[in-house]
Amino acid sequence: MRALLHARRISSGRTGGRLLAVGRPTGTAGSAGASAREIAAIADALGGVRAVEGEAATPERVLSALRTARWVHFACHGVSDPQDPPASHLLLHGGPLSAADVSRQELLYAELAVLLACHTAHTGQLPDEAVHLASAFQTAGYPQVVGALWEADDAVSALLAARLYAALRGRTPGAVAPADAGRALNHVIRVLRTRYARSPAAWAPFVHIGR
């Protein structure tokens, strides 16, 4: 209900800003993996981002940055906890950012959250309840959230992000125009489905939740 009410008063009088891009290494043995390339591709598509990466991406700093973030993108690992869904979390430096932590926020300027981490829209053993990271961001105020139902391939996530933000680029550097986010995601997934026709697990996990 909070997300629905927020959608009606969204961005009252607020303009400008850049996408907040949060990145943590997704490669083996702590290597950067595709997360750094993903954020670089987004910055290229939008003409710049406000990046919080590596050791700077602590839960405390990210929560603080979310308070003024109209648009946020996470390129990191995600963990779904089917036994305790509010404990599902994004892996940040120094500790997890849990669904419970996010859902307690009241983010007045929120418009779009893109969670290209594994299992961010996974419901586990509660098929009748949408309790996961994506719904936590909705509860906090983001009326539109993009998440993944299962493990997301790094290379596919980077390609999806680049194409999605190219379609949603706003009028100023780093800005996003999210009104057609659901339609834009659908178009990108169709492109991915053609490219990875024999690997539906690569393109099928991504979902848009919200208005």
Side-chain angles (χ1 to χ4, degrees):
M1 180 62 71
R2 191 195 306 173
L4 293 174
L5 291 172
H6 173 78
R8 297 180 65 87
R9 65 173 188 267
I10 190 167
S11 300
S12 177
R14 183 174 176 85
T15 60
R18 291 183 176 225
L19 174 95
L20 172 65
V22 180
R24 284 286 296 150
T26 55
T28 58
S31 63
S35 61
R37 295 194 302 274
E38 188 173 316
I39 291 179
I42 296 168
D44 183 63
L46 294 179
V49 296
R50 176 163 59 117
V52 179
E53 299 180 85
E55 294 185 359
T58 65
E60 296 78 14
R61 183 168 182 180
V62 170
L63 284 175
S64 178
L66 284 174
R67 296 189 184 106
T68 58
R70 297 171 68 184
W71 323 288
V72 62
H73 181 99
F74 282 86
C76 60
H77 284 304
V79 177
S80 175
D81 189 334
Q83 302 301 322
D84 184 12
S88 299
H89 58 272
L90 298 166
L91 289 173
L92 300 182
H93 181 73
L97 178 61
S98 73
D101 293 332
V102 173
S103 64
R104 283 193 287 264
Q105 309 304 306
E106 293 189 23
L107 305 175
L108 301 179
Y109 305 119
E111 295 184 17
L112 173 68
V114 179
L115 315 176
L116 294 193
C118 302
H119 310 292
T120 50
H122 180 64
T123 57
Q125 298 180 359
L126 297 173
D128 297 325
E129 297 184 48
V131 182
H132 43 60
L133 282 159
S135 65
F137 275 82
Q138 275 203 301
T139 300
Y142 283 93
Q144 297 190 85
V145 182
V146 173
L149 295 169
W150 56 80
E151 183 173 353
D153 179 84
D154 281 354
V156 176
S157 294
L159 178 58
L160 181 145
R163 289 181 174 269
L164 178 64
Y165 289 111
L168 299 179
R169 179 168 179 162
R171 295 184 178 180
T172 59
V176 177
D180 290 326
R183 187 175 301 171
L185 179 67
N186 180 268
H187 175 74
V188 175
I189 289 176
R190 287 175 180 270
V191 172
L192 294 176
R193 184 175 65 182
T194 299
R195 177 173 294 199
Y196 300 98
R198 296 187 177 183
S199 303
W203 53 262
F206 305 105
V207 294
H208 172 272
I209 301 170
R211 63 176 179 83

